[in-house]
Structures are given as C-alpha cells and as structure tokens.
Amino acid sequence: MQTLNTRFGEIDIDPETVLTFPLGMPGFEKCTRYKLLHEEQLNPRVRWLQSLDDADLSFSLVQVEHLGLSYEVELSDEECALLELEDAADAILLLLLSRPLEEGREISANTQAPVVLNIKSRKALQKVGIRADIVFRS
C-alpha cells in the first residue's frame, strides 16, 4: 500500500481502488492515476479526484444525478475499448466543478466535458466537446 501527502492530508492508496485515465485529462495528460475521495457519509454529493502522479492536483466532481440532470453521452468504439466498457450500466457520468476566482461567484459544473467512469474496470476518460441537451428532472 502506498501513502500520499495531499491537501486532504495523508491518504493510503489501495492499488485495487486506483482509477486510471489512460489518456490523462486535457491539460494533464501525464497524470493518469487517480484516487476518488469523498466525505465519510452516506451518499456524498461532492467527490474529489486526487492525482496520484501529482499530489498538488485534484478536481471536484459530482454525479449528474445529484444535480437533477439526465443526458446521454455517445462513446465511439475506440472509447469503449479504452474504458474496457462492455455494458453501459457499468458507466457513470461525473461533472467537474469549478468556482471562478471572483468573490461571490457560484460553483458551476462543466456539462460539456463529463468524466465517463467504468466502475468495473476503474478506467475513465473525459469526453470533451460534446453538445449536451440537458433535461432537468422534477
């Protein structure tokens, strides 16, 4: 087991829980290994994607369902192979969260570049540049 010092403190890394982005993420292509962190509570809303290749790099994420959103992302055969995705039910969509540096600005979710995660293979990719038709559930 590996230990990593991060802004979240020291975290233990079980190799069985490491997420792999085979292509990295846009702008961070050299960082391919991540650990998904969350608060110790039932059904946490926000999760953090902590890079294991750069302890200073982490992203805030939320599942699309937690925002009341529902949309579909079409993956190419190459993307499915990269994720080792054989069943769409094994994929979850996560959105990156950001907050502008200006004081008082609201947190926003990047709906045009979701992270697609195969929960079985623990492989992921960021699907950039999609045109999302967002449907809000009531």
Side-chain angles (χ1 to χ4, degrees), residues 40-54:
E40 294 297 325
Q41 66 182 39
L42 188 62
N43 297 321
R45 297 267 180 192
V46 176
R47 298 169 192 270
W48 296 277
L49 192 62
Q50 173 63 56
S51 171
L52 302 181
D53 300 311
D54 180 350

Side-chain angles (χ1 to χ4, degrees), residues 11 15 19 22 39 41 48 50 55-57 60-62 72 78 87 120 123 126 136-137:
I11 57 174
L19 303 179
E39 292 180 319
Q41 66 182 39
W48 296 277
Q50 173 63 56
D56 294 328
L57 179 63
S60 298
L61 299 166
V62 65
E72 295 179 8
E78 294 82 14
D87 185 351
K120 281 193 174 174
K123 294 201 175 177
Q126 186 176 14
F136 290 93
R137 292 182 301 208

Side-chain angles (χ1 to χ4, degrees), residues 50-97:
Q50 173 63 56
S51 171
L52 302 181
D53 300 311
D54 180 350
D56 294 328
L57 179 63
S58 66
F59 301 95
S60 298
L61 299 166
V62 65
Q63 282 184 245
V64 295
E65 296 84 9
H66 289 306
L67 297 178
L69 301 175
S70 175
Y71 64 97
E72 295 179 8
V73 173
E74 188 173 322
L75 298 175
S76 68
D77 290 341
E78 294 82 14
E79 290 167 328
C80 287
L82 190 69
L83 295 172
E84 298 175 9
L85 185 63
E86 297 175 6
D87 185 351
D90 295 334
I92 61 171
L93 291 178
L94 301 157
L95 301 178
L96 294 167
L97 300 175

Side-chain angles (χ1 to χ4, degrees), residues 16 20 26 55 68 79 85 88 97 103 105-106 110 116 122:
E16 295 295 316
T20 303
E79 290 167 328
L85 185 63
L97 300 175
E103 196 68 31
R105 298 292 304 259
E106 294 182 353
N110 183 348
V116 182
R122 291 183 309 281

